[in-house]
């Protein structure tokens, strides 16, 4: 057994763990990242992925170049299922090679002084007097015992550290349920024939999209709850609606979390970031930049706590408060509201695309860049007669409108509660009791929709 001593142990060298290690190493702390896989393999199961261009500056990451940058995409278009109507927003998204991006992030973290050990798997947190004091891990060269002041779970969707912890109100330790995951299935198509829209094209009804991939190929992908087989069938159903054909050259996929984050992301000596904390964008499951937002806060808070040598829950609490009051509150709203919107029928979504102001360029931009469902009162008022006419003529079911209003109210209440996330752990218990019943309602609505999809595609 080899023994090591560092300030911070980070479990997982994905985008979240590596970015956090980079930031903390830059701040002068000894960081050790443990990765169970080979570093060369990271990102290969995903291949091409997207990041908003403006995020690079925000997170202090140089822009990609050369083979890492596949395409610079200038627009995102949301389409009605019948392809008759669309809303196009102009902002740049970079289509990149994930393995190359991972290699670059690893090199930044190492240059800043972080150490990354590959093929080393986290086993358990070592505790002293109830406080985390390090981790035990095992690798190809034997077992390792690391002593540290802070342990970070950045191990992805299965939350290896989080789920190994004893029951506590501060870090939920339940493993993610199948019904809280979205299977992303993507095919890369060549030999394209027909009319292909420019850049990124998004289809709410199938949680589907197509966009350029490597070379001249095109990714045609969908999200589907829980079932890999269902995801393939949903992708075929989506592909059949497209105004072009192509030959599937390869396919890839994986799981993303699709549920609320744990109500607290930390406890004394512990933090959770990235997919391990379900910090993905609720409208499309992307989780790289949304996790960087949390990692940037976590790095500042941890650096401050390490400088004072105070790693108590109270000292780390600003990570919870700062994350949840801002991005966390917006995501809580979207996570609760989205199922009522995406579960509308194809015909209802087609109809809504014809109502001015519902799907707009500004709305598409605001959703993707600010995580807001924007609708100014004047536009909403103008669209009211058209919406009422839709109900009267059967294009919009009253039940759908009622579900949107009901979940919209739950979502708005959740957002307000998260915007007032407790400043101090002492108020956390009472706050958690207020949000839990609201999440139960939101989860029941989402699970109902997911079960319907599973019946449809299995
Ligand atoms: C098909 C697909 C396409 C996607 N496309 C996009 C996209 O275009 N844009 C976007 O923003 N997001 C996208 N996502 C989501 C994005 O990939 C994730 O949100 C992001 O990778 C999460 O990063 P992470 O570091 O938190 O977790 P991960 O990337 O999962 O990294 C966790 C790491 O921890 C390691 N680990 C796990 N257990 C242990 C252990 N016990 N010991 C040591 N190491 C361990 C794992 O091997 C892994 O390397 C996509 C996801 C999928 C599945």
């Amino acid at each position: 057994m080899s023994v090591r001593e560092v300030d911070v142990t980070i479990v997982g060298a994905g985008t979240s763990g590596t970015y956090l290690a980079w930031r903390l190493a830059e701040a002068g702390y000894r960081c050790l990242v443990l990765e169970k896989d080979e570093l060369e393999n990271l990102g290969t199961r995903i291949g091409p992925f997207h990041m908003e261009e403006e995020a690079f500056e925000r997170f202090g990451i140089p822009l990609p170049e050369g083979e890492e940058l596949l395409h610079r995409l200038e627009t995102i278009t949301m389409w009605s299922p019948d392809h008759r109507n669309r809303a196009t927003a102009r902002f740049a998204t970079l289509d990149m090679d994930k393995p190359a991006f991972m290699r670059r992030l690893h090199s930044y973290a190492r240059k800043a002084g972080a150490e990354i050990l590959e093929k080393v798997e986290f086993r358990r947190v070592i505790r002293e007097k109830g406080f985390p004091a390090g981790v035990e891990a095992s690798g190809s060269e034997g077992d390792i015992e690391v002593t540290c002041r802070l342990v970070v779970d950045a191990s992805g969707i299965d939350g290896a550290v989080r789920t190994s912890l004893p029951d506590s109100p501060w870090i939920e330790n339940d493993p993610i349920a199948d019904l809280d995951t979205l299977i992303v299935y993507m095919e890369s198509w060549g030999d394209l024939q027909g009319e292909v829209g420019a850049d990124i094209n998004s289809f709410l009804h199938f949680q589907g999209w197509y966009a350029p991939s490597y070379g001249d190929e095109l990714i045609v992908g969908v999200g589907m709850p829980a079932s890999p087989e269902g995801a393939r069938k949903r992708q075929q159903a989506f592909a059949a609606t497209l105004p072009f054909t192509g030959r599937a050259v390869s396919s890839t996929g994986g799981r993303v979390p699709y549920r609320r984050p744990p109500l607290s992301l930390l406890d004394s000596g512990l933090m959770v970031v990235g997919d391990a904390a379900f910090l993905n964008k609720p409208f499309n499951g992307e989780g790289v930049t949304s996790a960087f937002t949390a990692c940037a806060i976590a790095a500042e808070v941890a650096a401050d706590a390490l400088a004072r040598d105070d790693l108590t829950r109270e000292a780390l609490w600003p990570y919870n408060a700062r994350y949840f009051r801002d991005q966390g509150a917006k995501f809580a709203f979207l996570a609760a509201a989205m199922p009522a919107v995406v579960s509308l029928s194809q015909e209802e979504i087609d109809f809504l695309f014809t109502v001015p102001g519902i799907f707009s360029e500004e709305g598409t931009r605001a959703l993707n860049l600010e995580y807001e469902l924007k609708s100014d009162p004047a536009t909403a008022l103008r669209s009211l007669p058209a919406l009422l006419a839709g109900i009267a003529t059967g294009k919009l079911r009253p039940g759908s409108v009622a579900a949107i209003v009901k979940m919209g109210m739950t979502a708005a209440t959740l957002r307000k509660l998260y915007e007032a996330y407790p400043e101090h752990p002492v108020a956390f218990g009472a706050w958690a009791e207020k949000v839990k019943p609201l999440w139960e309602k939101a989860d029941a609505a989402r699970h109902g929709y997911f079960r319907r999809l599973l019946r449809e595609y299995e």
Side-chain angles (χ1 to χ4, degrees), residues 253-266:
R255 291 184 303 153
V256 294
Y258 203 73
R259 53 154 286 177
R260 69 161 175 83
L263 300 179
S264 160
L265 305 174
L266 61 96

Side-chain angles (χ1 to χ4, degrees), residues 401-416:
V401 179
I404 290 178
V405 171
K406 190 170 147 214
M407 288 323 296
M409 280 160 56
T410 303
T413 311
L414 271 170
R415 180 172 177 158
K416 279 217 172 72

Side-chain angles (χ1 to χ4, degrees), residues 140-164:
S140 45
E141 290 175 15
D143 293 345
I144 305 177
E145 190 179 300
V146 189
T147 309
C148 61
R149 295 191 281 160
L150 176 66
V151 177
V152 180
D153 189 351
S155 66
I157 187 167
D158 291 315
V161 181
R162 186 181 64 76
T163 57
S164 76

Side-chain angles (χ1 to χ4, degrees), residues 305-327:
L306 288 161
R308 289 185 284 120
D309 199 22
D310 177 1
L311 281 301
T312 56
R313 180 184 307 140
E314 288 73 16
L316 297 178
W317 198 256
Y319 170 40
N320 269 340
R322 285 174 56 191
Y323 176 77
F324 281 124
R325 287 179 171 200
D326 186 6
Q327 180 174 291

Side-chain angles (χ1 to χ4, degrees), residues 11-17 34-37 42 45-46 48-51 98 120-122 154-157 160 184 186 252-256 273-276 280 285-289:
V11 178
T15 41
S16 309
L34 307 178
E35 170 54 54
K36 71 173 180 184
D37 209 345
L42 300 192
R45 278 189 292 268
I46 290 184
F49 85 111
H50 294 143
M51 257 176 81
K98 183 101 189 255
V120 173
E121 186 163 2
F122 161 86
S155 66
I157 187 167
V184 179
M186 343 195 275
T252 172
R255 291 184 303 153
V256 294
V273 296
D275 275 19
N280 309 61
E286 290 185 354
V288 175
T289 53

Side-chain angles (χ1 to χ4, degrees), residues 5 74 99 121 126 144 221 264 273 284 292 315 336 346 369 383 388 409 447:
E5 193 194 332
E74 294 187 353
E121 186 163 2
I126 302 166
I144 305 177
S264 160
V273 296
N284 64 9
F292 286 168
Q346 197 158 327
L369 295 182
S383 61
L388 292 173
M409 280 160 56
H447 288 157

